[in-house]
Coordinates of all heavy atoms in Angstrom, one line a residue:
G893 N 0.3 -1.7 0.0 CA -0.6 -2.7 0.3 C -0.9 -2.8 1.8 O -0.3 -2.2 2.6
Q894 N -2.0 -3.5 2.1 CA -2.6 -3.7 3.5 C -3.0 -2.3 4.0 O -2.6 -1.9 5.2 CB -1.6 -4.4 4.4 CG -1.1 -5.7 3.8 CD -0.8 -6.7 4.8 OE1 -1.7 -7.3 5.4 NE2 0.5 -7.0 5.1
L895 N -3.8 -1.6 3.3 CA -4.3 -0.3 3.7 C -5.8 -0.4 4.1 O -6.6 -1.3 3.8 CB -4.3 0.7 2.5 CG -2.9 1.0 2.0 CD1 -3.0 2.0 0.8 CD2 -2.0 1.7 3.1
K896 N -6.3 0.6 4.8 CA -7.7 0.9 5.0 C -7.9 2.4 5.1 O -6.9 3.2 5.1 CB -8.1 0.2 6.4 CG -7.5 0.9 7.6 CD -8.0 0.3 8.9 CE -7.5 1.0 10.1 NZ -8.0 0.4 11.3
E897 N -9.1 2.8 5.0 CA -9.5 4.2 5.0 C -8.7 5.0 4.0 O -8.1 6.1 4.3 CB -9.3 4.8 6.5 CG -10.1 4.2 7.5 CD -9.9 4.8 8.9 OE1 -9.5 5.9 9.0 OE2 -10.2 4.0 9.9
I898 N -8.7 4.6 2.8 CA -8.0 5.3 1.7 C -8.6 6.6 1.4 O -9.9 6.7 1.3 CB -7.9 4.4 0.5 CG1 -7.1 3.1 0.7 CG2 -7.4 5.1 -0.7 CD1 -7.1 2.1 -0.4
T899 N -7.8 7.7 1.4 CA -8.4 9.0 1.3 C -8.4 9.5 -0.2 O -8.8 10.7 -0.4 CB -7.5 10.0 2.1 OG1 -6.1 9.9 1.6 CG2 -7.6 9.6 3.6
V900 N -7.9 8.8 -1.1 CA -7.8 9.3 -2.5 C -8.5 8.3 -3.4 O -8.9 7.2 -3.0 CB -6.4 9.5 -3.0 CG1 -5.7 10.6 -2.2 CG2 -5.6 8.2 -2.9
Q901 N -8.8 8.7 -4.7 CA -9.5 7.9 -5.6 C -8.7 7.7 -6.9 O -7.7 8.5 -7.1 CB -10.8 8.5 -6.0 CG -11.8 8.6 -4.8 CD -13.1 9.3 -5.2 OE1 -13.2 9.8 -6.4 NE2 -14.1 9.3 -4.3
K902 N -9.0 6.8 -7.7 CA -8.3 6.5 -9.0 C -8.4 7.8 -9.8 O -9.5 8.4 -10.0 CB -8.9 5.4 -9.7 CG -8.2 5.0 -11.0 CD -8.9 3.8 -11.6 CE -8.2 3.4 -12.9 NZ -8.8 2.2 -13.6
G903 N -7.3 8.2 -10.4 CA -7.2 9.4 -11.2 C -6.8 10.7 -10.4 O -6.4 11.7 -11.0
D904 N -6.8 10.6 -9.1 CA -6.4 11.7 -8.3 C -4.8 12.0 -8.4 O -4.0 11.1 -8.5 CB -6.7 11.6 -6.8 CG -8.2 11.7 -6.5 OD1 -8.9 12.1 -7.5 OD2 -8.6 11.4 -5.4
H905 N -4.5 13.3 -8.4 CA -3.1 13.7 -8.3 C -2.7 13.8 -6.8 O -3.4 14.5 -6.1 CB -2.9 15.0 -9.1 CG -1.5 15.6 -8.8 ND1 -1.2 16.6 -8.0 CD2 -0.3 15.1 -9.4 CE1 0.1 16.8 -8.0 NE2 0.7 16.0 -8.9
V906 N -1.6 13.2 -6.5 CA -1.2 13.1 -5.1 C 0.1 13.8 -4.9 O 1.0 13.6 -5.8 CB -1.2 11.7 -4.5 CG1 -0.7 11.6 -3.1 CG2 -2.5 11.0 -4.7
S907 N 0.3 14.6 -3.9 CA 1.6 15.2 -3.6 C 2.4 14.4 -2.7 O 1.9 13.7 -1.8 CB 1.4 16.6 -3.1 OG 0.7 17.4 -4.0
E908 N 3.7 14.6 -2.8 CA 4.6 13.9 -1.9 C 4.3 14.2 -0.4 O 4.1 15.4 -0.1 CB 6.1 14.2 -2.2 CG 7.1 13.5 -1.3 CD 8.5 13.9 -1.6 OE1 9.0 13.6 -2.7 OE2 9.2 14.5 -0.7
G909 N 4.2 13.2 0.5 CA 3.9 13.5 1.9 C 2.5 13.5 2.2 O 2.1 13.6 3.4
Q910 N 1.6 13.5 1.2 CA 0.2 13.5 1.4 C -0.3 12.2 2.0 O 0.1 11.1 1.5 CB -0.6 13.8 0.1 CG -2.1 13.9 0.2 CD -2.8 14.2 -1.1 OE1 -2.1 14.7 -2.0 NE2 -4.0 13.8 -1.2
V911 N -1.2 12.2 3.0 CA -1.7 11.0 3.6 C -2.7 10.4 2.6 O -3.6 11.0 2.1 CB -2.4 11.3 4.9 CG1 -3.0 10.0 5.5 CG2 -1.4 11.8 5.9
I912 N -2.4 9.1 2.3 CA -3.3 8.4 1.3 C -4.2 7.3 2.0 O -5.0 6.7 1.3 CB -2.4 7.7 0.2 CG1 -1.4 6.8 0.8 CG2 -1.7 8.8 -0.6 CD1 -0.5 6.0 -0.2
G913 N -3.9 7.0 3.2 CA -4.7 6.0 4.0 C -4.0 5.6 5.3 O -3.1 6.3 5.7
K914 N -4.5 4.5 5.8 CA -3.9 4.0 7.1 C -3.6 2.5 7.0 O -4.2 1.8 6.1 CB -4.9 4.3 8.2 CG -5.2 5.8 8.5 CD -6.2 6.0 9.6 CE -6.4 7.5 9.9 NZ -7.3 7.7 11.0
V915 N -2.8 2.1 7.9 CA -2.4 0.7 7.9 C -3.6 -0.2 8.5 O -4.2 0.2 9.5 CB -1.1 0.4 8.8 CG1 -0.8 -1.0 8.9 CG2 0.0 1.2 8.2
A916 N -3.9 -1.3 7.8 CA -5.0 -2.2 8.2 C -4.4 -3.4 8.9 O -3.2 -3.6 9.0 CB -5.7 -2.6 7.0
D917 N -5.3 -4.2 9.4 CA -4.9 -5.5 10.0 C -4.2 -6.3 8.9 O -4.7 -6.3 7.7 CB -6.1 -6.2 10.6 CG -6.7 -5.5 11.8 OD1 -5.9 -5.0 12.5 OD2 -8.0 -5.5 11.9
P918 N -3.3 -7.1 9.3 CA -2.6 -7.9 8.2 C -3.5 -9.0 7.7 O -4.4 -9.5 8.4 CB -1.4 -8.5 9.0 CG -1.8 -8.6 10.4 CD -2.7 -7.4 10.6
T919 N -3.2 -9.3 6.4 CA -4.0 -10.5 5.8 C -3.4 -11.8 6.4 O -2.4 -11.8 7.1 CB -3.8 -10.5 4.3 OG1 -2.4 -10.7 4.0 CG2 -4.2 -9.1 3.7
K920 N -4.1 -12.9 6.0 CA -3.7 -14.2 6.5 C -2.3 -14.6 6.0 O -1.6 -15.5 6.6 CB -4.7 -15.2 6.0 CG -4.8 -15.4 4.5 CD -5.9 -16.4 4.2 CE -6.0 -16.6 2.6 NZ -7.0 -17.6 2.3
Y921 N -1.7 -13.9 5.0 CA -0.4 -14.2 4.5 C 0.7 -13.6 5.4 O 1.8 -14.0 5.3 CB -0.2 -13.6 3.1 CG -0.9 -14.4 2.0 CD1 -2.3 -14.3 1.8 CD2 -0.2 -15.3 1.2 CE1 -2.9 -15.0 0.8 CE2 -0.8 -16.0 0.2 CZ -2.2 -15.9 0.0 OH -2.8 -16.6 -1.0
Y922 N 0.3 -12.7 6.3 CA 1.3 -12.0 7.2 C 0.8 -12.0 8.6 O 1.2 -11.1 9.4 CB 1.5 -10.6 6.7 CG 2.1 -10.5 5.3 CD1 1.3 -10.3 4.2 CD2 3.5 -10.6 5.1 CE1 1.8 -10.2 2.9 CE2 4.0 -10.6 3.8 CZ 3.2 -10.4 2.7 OH 3.8 -10.3 1.5
S923 N 0.0 -13.0 9.0 CA -0.5 -13.0 10.4 C 0.6 -13.2 11.4 O 0.6 -12.6 12.5 CB -1.6 -14.1 10.5 OG -1.1 -15.3 10.2
M924 N 1.6 -13.9 11.1 CA 2.7 -14.2 12.0 C 3.7 -13.0 12.0 O 4.3 -12.7 13.1 CB 3.5 -15.5 11.6 CG 2.6 -16.7 11.7 SD 2.1 -17.1 13.3 CE 3.7 -17.5 14.1
E925 N 3.8 -12.3 11.0 CA 4.8 -11.1 10.9 C 4.1 -9.9 11.6 O 4.8 -9.1 12.1 CB 5.1 -10.8 9.4 CG 6.0 -11.7 8.7 CD 5.3 -13.0 8.3 OE1 4.0 -13.1 8.4 OE2 6.0 -13.9 7.8
G926 N 2.8 -9.9 11.7 CA 2.2 -8.8 12.3 C 1.7 -7.7 11.4 O 2.0 -7.8 10.2
S927 N 1.1 -6.6 11.9 CA 0.6 -5.6 11.0 C 1.8 -4.9 10.3 O 2.9 -4.7 10.9 CB -0.2 -4.5 11.8 OG 0.7 -3.9 12.8
N928 N 1.6 -4.6 9.1 CA 2.7 -4.0 8.3 C 2.2 -3.3 7.0 O 1.0 -3.4 6.7 CB 3.7 -5.2 7.8 CG 3.0 -6.2 7.0 OD1 2.9 -6.0 5.7 ND2 2.4 -7.2 7.5
L929 N 3.1 -2.6 6.3 CA 2.8 -2.0 5.1 C 3.6 -2.8 4.0 O 4.8 -2.9 4.1 CB 3.2 -0.5 5.1 CG 3.1 0.2 3.7 CD1 1.6 0.4 3.4 CD2 3.8 1.6 3.7
Y930 N 2.8 -3.2 3.0 CA 3.4 -3.8 1.8 C 3.8 -2.7 0.9 O 3.0 -1.9 0.4 CB 2.4 -4.8 1.2 CG 2.9 -5.5 0.0 CD1 3.5 -6.7 0.1 CD2 2.7 -4.9 -1.3 CE1 4.0 -7.4 -1.1 CE2 3.1 -5.6 -2.5 CZ 3.8 -6.8 -2.3 OH 4.2 -7.5 -3.4
Y931 N 5.1 -2.6 0.6 CA 5.6 -1.5 -0.2 C 6.4 -2.0 -1.4 O 7.5 -2.6 -1.2 CB 6.5 -0.6 0.7 CG 6.9 0.7 0.0 CD1 6.1 1.7 -0.2 CD2 8.3 0.9 -0.3 CE1 6.5 2.9 -0.7 CE2 8.7 2.1 -0.9 CZ 7.8 3.1 -1.1 OH 8.2 4.3 -1.6
Q932 N 6.0 -1.7 -2.6 CA 6.6 -2.2 -3.8 C 6.8 -1.1 -4.8 O 5.9 -0.3 -5.1 CB 5.8 -3.3 -4.5 CG 6.4 -4.0 -5.7 CD 5.5 -5.0 -6.3 OE1 4.3 -4.8 -6.6 NE2 6.0 -6.2 -6.4
V933 N 8.0 -1.2 -5.4 CA 8.4 -0.2 -6.5 C 8.7 -0.9 -7.8 O 9.4 -2.0 -7.7 CB 9.6 0.7 -6.1 CG1 9.9 1.7 -7.2 CG2 9.3 1.4 -4.8
K934 N 8.2 -0.4 -8.9 CA 8.4 -1.1 -10.2 C 8.9 0.0 -11.1 O 8.6 1.1 -11.1 CB 7.2 -1.7 -10.7 CG 6.7 -3.0 -10.0 CD 5.5 -3.6 -10.7 CE 5.1 -4.9 -10.0 NZ 3.9 -5.5 -10.7
E935 N 9.8 -0.5 -12.1 CA 10.2 0.3 -13.2 C 10.0 -0.5 -14.4 O 10.4 -1.6 -14.6 CB 11.7 0.6 -13.1 CG 12.2 1.5 -14.2 CD 13.7 1.8 -14.1 OE1 14.4 1.2 -13.3 OE2 14.2 2.6 -15.0
K936 N 9.2 0.1 -15.3 CA 8.7 -0.6 -16.5 C 8.1 -1.9 -16.2 O 8.4 -3.0 -16.8 CB 9.9 -0.8 -17.5 CG 10.4 0.6 -18.0 CD 11.6 0.4 -19.0 CE 12.1 1.7 -19.5 NZ 13.3 1.5 -20.4
Q937 N 7.3 -1.9 -15.2 CA 6.5 -3.1 -14.7 C 7.3 -4.2 -14.1 O 6.8 -5.3 -13.8 CB 5.7 -3.7 -15.9 CG 4.7 -2.7 -16.6 CD 3.7 -2.2 -15.6 OE1 3.2 -2.9 -14.8 NE2 3.4 -0.9 -15.7
E938 N 8.6 -3.9 -13.9 CA 9.5 -4.9 -13.2 C 9.8 -4.4 -11.8 O 10.3 -3.2 -11.6 CB 10.8 -5.1 -14.0 CG 10.6 -5.7 -15.4 CD 10.0 -7.2 -15.3 OE1 10.4 -7.9 -14.3 OE2 9.2 -7.6 -16.2
P939 N 9.7 -5.3 -10.8 CA 10.1 -4.9 -9.4 C 11.5 -4.5 -9.3 O 12.4 -5.1 -9.9 CB 9.7 -6.1 -8.6 CG 8.8 -6.9 -9.5 CD 9.2 -6.7 -10.9

């Protein structure tokens, strides 16, 4: 999350280490924390 300039599209196959985008300005939910990457992993739709 919190990306910009995404380099891939839906349906693309991506390799490990491939650049998929860049970090964007934080949303209003994280303005105090500063710019960041929102990173979430799920297994069977559960975080």
Side-chain angles (χ1 to χ4, degrees):
Q894 309 214 72
L895 295 179
K896 68 175 182 178
E897 299 180 25
I898 295 175
T899 59
V900 293
Q901 297 178 352
K902 184 177 180 179
D904 286 353
H905 173 255
V906 180
S907 301
E908 180 182 298
Q910 180 178 338
V911 176
I912 57 175
K914 295 180 180 180
V915 175
D917 292 324
T919 65
K920 62 182 180 180
Y921 285 78
Y922 297 95
S923 59
M924 298 295 294
E925 286 79 6
S927 59
N928 64 83
L929 175 69
Y930 178 91
Y931 185 73
Q932 184 182 54
V933 179
K934 288 183 178 180
E935 182 181 9
K936 296 180 181 179
Q937 301 302 318
E938 294 296 326

